[in-house]
Structures are given as structure tokens and as C-alpha cells.
Amino acid sequence: MKTIEWKDGKVFLIDQRKLPLKYKIINCSTYQEVAEAIKKMKIRGAPAIGVAAAFGIALAAYSSKASTYGEFIQDMEKAKNYLALTRPTAVNLFWALERMMNLINIKKDVDLFKLKDIILQEAENIAREDIEINKAMGEQGSSLIKDGDSILTHCNAGALATVDHGTALGVIRTAFKEGKKIHVYVDETRPVLQGARLTAWELTQKKIPFTLITDNMAGFLMYQKKVNLIIVGADRIARNGDVVNKIGTYSLSVLARENKVPFYVAAPISTIDMSLKSGEEIPIEERDPKEVTHISGKQIAPAGVKVFNPAFDITPNGYVEAIITEKGIIRKPFEKNIKLVVNTA
Ligand code: MRU
């Protein structure tokens, strides 16, 4: 099954909090349930939460009792604002909501009954395009991987963070499918452990050889010359090429520079936020201290300790070798080259 899909008037998704121990499909029949699934990280990863939000708007449309367009748009605005409050960092969420609302605004004159189907079609388009984009990104990025390479990745930027295939892990999957003999190092990605739980699960499913490490082992691995390149995903990229991704990404980029390991970011064009000058302007989500003080519900730190738990960090563009997108590989100078690629997309 895909990470998320629409079936019989409901949104079905893999509950990622249960993996890898349990593979459980849940469904949402209201936009509030979709918002809850995003907030609680039953679904997570930048492109996946964008698609979830789009399906949330479709659910809101079908449940609307409005009899005029004016009433309908009010219901849609309410749902959009509700969904927008779920997570602040990944721009794909806002990008998808905006795309849905733009369509609803353009189709003012369409009969409401028909409009609801058009809204669902648009959400389905976003989901279908996500897979196509990831596959295109995979082909672009695979050119950077040589036979015999060892690749380090962080967090989960695979099929589970998207509708299918993945971004950073999608590049790795494509290289493997092309027959390249590769090895992947997966860091566990404290505190939520997306690497250990999700990326390790996906690589096991796809039979791609990998080794799991804790986050603090990455430097030693690079020092020992065991990593040829690093590929990570992104939650938001500013127009100057600064990258916001899962906490720990910045540390990896600095270690990569020190050890002369190329550091690549794979992300769809929809992850680039052209309205922001630099990474400094990207809101960084801070999450429940319990994610740090507890593991699998078990307390590991003294009760009541002070905790700092940012879910993401900023990697300055200088540490990024290139950004892999579905439209091509963007190299420095980022400001100029990002603009060129975005304008032709
Ligand atoms: O907090 P999460 O699990 O939603 O964070 C996900 C990441 O940081 C991913 O690496 C990022 O979304 C890129 S995914 C295609």
C-alpha cells in the first residue's frame, strides 16, 4: 500500500508510530482526524503531510452542508486554517493547502456538487504527482552515486515520508535498482528514531544492504573513510539554498565538510520556499520534552529535567554540495540557480 491514499470517501494511511513492530492501517473520515494524524505524527515527512492536508480539504468539502459558494468557501477556509496549525516547519503542508484553496477560488462558478469532485481530483493529482516527482528525483540523483559507494542518510526520507518511493531514500532506491552495489548507513535519528524505525524498515523491505548506527557514530565513520556521500531530505529550503531538515542534519553537514564527504539534499521543488531569504526565517518546531526524556514510553532521564527539543535545524547553504530536484541537480551559486530551476518548473 502507499503511505496515504483515498478509498471509499476516507483517507487511509500507515500508522507510522507503530512501525517497525506493527504494520497498521488507519483511516480518517474527517479533516479533524487528518489534522490529528499529522500532529501526532501518525503520518510525517514533508511531502506526505502535504498530501494528507490536501485529502483533509477533500474530506472537508464532502462534509460541507453549504448551499451557496459563499458558505462553502467559509467552510473550506476553516478547514485550511485548522490543518495549517498542525506542524509549522515543512512547507509542503502550506504549499498543498494553498494549491487546494487556489483551485477552489478559481472554480467559483462551478456547481457545488461538481466542485467537491474536482477538489478530490486535485488532491489525487498531488498524490500521484508526488510519486512521479520522486521517481524523477531518483533518476537525477542516482547519477551522483557510483558502484561500490557507501551512503549515509538521516531521518526517514523514504516512501513513508512521501506517497511512495521517497526523496533522499528514493535516490538510493533508484541507484540500487539500476544495479549499483551500494551500502547505506542509517543513523537512528534521536529523539523520534525515524532512521532506526522507518528507514531501517524500508531498506529491509527493499533488501538494500545497510548498517544502523547511533547518531554520534557518524563522525567516526567519516573519519574512517567509510562514507562516500551523504544524502538527506528537506522540510523547507530557503531561496538562498539554506536547508531545514531533521535535527542532526547540520551536525552531519559540518562533519561532512571536515572529512571532505559531499553532502547532498534531495527535495521536490515544492519544498523550496521562494518567499524566504534565508534559513533563519524558517519556523523551527519544538516538540514535547517527553520525546527526549522517554524512549518507547519508558522514562530514561530524571523526572522534571529541563529539555530543549527542536525537531529541525538549519544547514547553511555553504555546507550543501548540491540540491537534487525532479527538474535537475542545483549547484552553487544557489540563489541564482534555484531561481532558474523554480522559474522553469
Ligand atoms: O518530523 P518528521 O518525521 O516529519 O521529519 C521528517 C524529516 O525531517 C524528513 O527528513 C524530511 O521531511 C524530508 S522527507 C522527504
Side-chain angles (χ1 to χ4, degrees), residues 105-123:
N105 282 316
I106 291 166
K107 302 280 179 189
K108 265 188 188 64
D109 301 324
V110 176
D111 160 75
L112 278 187
F113 196 66
K114 257 201 207 141
L115 179 54
K116 294 180 185 184
D117 289 344
I118 294 175
I119 291 170
L120 172 60
Q121 261 169 36
E122 186 70 348

Side-chain angles (χ1 to χ4, degrees), residues 16 38 41 43-49 87 90 92 134 154-158 160-162 166-169 189 192 194 198 232-236 244-247 249 266-268 271 285 287 311-312:
Q16 300 192 24
I38 298 173
M41 291 174 82
I43 183 156
R44 30 64 55 208
I49 63 178
R87 296 195 69 189
N92 310 61
N134 292 336
H154 183 58
C155 192
N156 173 263
L160 291 165
T162 61
T167 60
L169 210 60
T189 319
V192 178
Q194 289 93 333
L198 307 176
V232 298
D235 289 83
R236 203 186 291 215
V244 162
N245 190 49
K246 181 54 56 196
I247 192 75
T249 302
T271 299
E285 176 182 13
R287 296 186 58 85
F312 304 96

Side-chain angles (χ1 to χ4, degrees), residues 18-312:
K18 301 271 189 275
L19 285 170
L21 302 181
K22 233 186 232 161
Y23 181 86
K24 190 178 171 205
I25 309 293
I26 52 170
N27 65 70
C28 304
S29 39
T30 65
Y31 74 84
Q32 291 92 339
E33 283 173 13
V34 171
E36 155 106 354
I38 298 173
K39 220 179 172 113
K40 297 252 166 86
M41 291 174 82
K42 293 175 191 174
I43 183 156
R44 30 64 55 208
I49 63 178
V51 172
F55 280 135
I57 292 291
L59 285 173
Y62 282 120
S63 69
S64 170
K65 307 254 184 303
S67 54
T68 63
Y69 180 82
E71 287 166 10
F72 183 69
I73 192 81
Q74 272 182 21
D75 285 349
M76 294 301 97
E77 283 290 343
K78 192 172 153 205
K80 181 203 84 177
N81 293 336
Y82 194 87
L83 287 158
L85 281 177
T86 49
R87 296 195 69 189
T89 303
V91 74
N92 310 61
L93 174 74
F94 310 102
W95 170 88
L97 288 172
E98 202 179 304
R99 177 161 157 182
M100 297 302 288
M101 294 311 289
N102 283 345
L103 175 93
I104 297 168
N105 282 316
I106 291 166
K107 302 280 179 189
K108 265 188 188 64
D109 301 324
V110 176
D111 160 75
L112 278 187
F113 196 66
K114 257 201 207 141
L115 179 54
K116 294 180 185 184
D117 289 344
I118 294 175
I119 291 170
L120 172 60
Q121 261 169 36
E122 186 70 348
E124 301 258 38
N125 287 344
I126 294 177
R128 181 182 36 78
E129 286 165 20
D130 178 67
I131 304 175
E132 291 164 8
I133 286 169
N134 292 336
K135 291 197 171 154
M137 214 184 313
E139 275 166 33
Q140 296 280 353
S142 175
S143 64
L144 301 167
I145 299 177
K146 295 187 304 297
D147 201 35
D149 271 349
S150 275
I151 308 146
L152 175 67
T153 190
H154 183 58
C155 192
N156 173 263
L160 291 165
T162 61
V163 178
D164 205 349
H165 198 68
T167 60
L169 210 60
V171 170
I172 292 168
R173 275 176 70 171
T174 304
F176 183 73
K177 206 166 164 212
E178 285 170 356
K180 291 176 191 164
K181 288 190 181 49
I182 53 171
H183 188 87
V184 186
Y185 284 104
V186 177
D187 66 19
E188 60 179 358
T189 319
R190 276 281 288 151
V192 178
L193 302 172
Q194 289 93 333
R197 296 191 302 108
L198 307 176
T199 303
W201 181 77
E202 283 194 37
L203 290 170
T204 305
Q205 302 281 311
K206 295 287 162 202
K207 298 189 170 43
I208 301 176
F210 74 95
T211 303
L212 179 65
I213 58 166
T214 64
D215 298 332
N216 49 359
M217 294 171 187
F220 186 47
L221 214 63
M222 287 185 236
Y223 178 84
Q224 290 186 318
K225 308 261 174 270
K226 286 186 175 158
V227 179
N228 302 101
L229 66 153
I230 298 177
I231 312 181
V232 298
D235 289 83
R236 203 186 291 215
I237 300 173
R239 65 169 183 257
N240 70 345
D242 287 352
V243 173
V244 162
N245 190 49
K246 181 54 56 196
I247 192 75
T249 302
Y250 170 56
S251 323
L252 285 179
S253 75
V254 176
L255 284 166
R257 166 62 51 85
E258 173 68 19
N259 291 282
K260 300 184 176 47
V261 174
F263 182 87
Y264 297 106
V265 175
I269 298 284
S270 57
T271 299
I272 303 175
D273 187 342
M274 293 302 281
S275 73
L276 302 184
K277 272 207 294 278
S278 79
E280 291 289 316
E281 295 173 34
I282 300 175
I284 303 289
E285 176 182 13
E286 281 191 37
R287 296 186 58 85
D288 190 346
K290 265 196 161 171
E291 288 181 353
V292 178
T293 56
H294 291 62
I295 293 183
S296 301
K298 197 171 183 314
Q299 190 179 328
I300 54 152
V305 292
K306 199 169 156 197
V307 167
F308 178 48
N309 186 20
F312 304 96

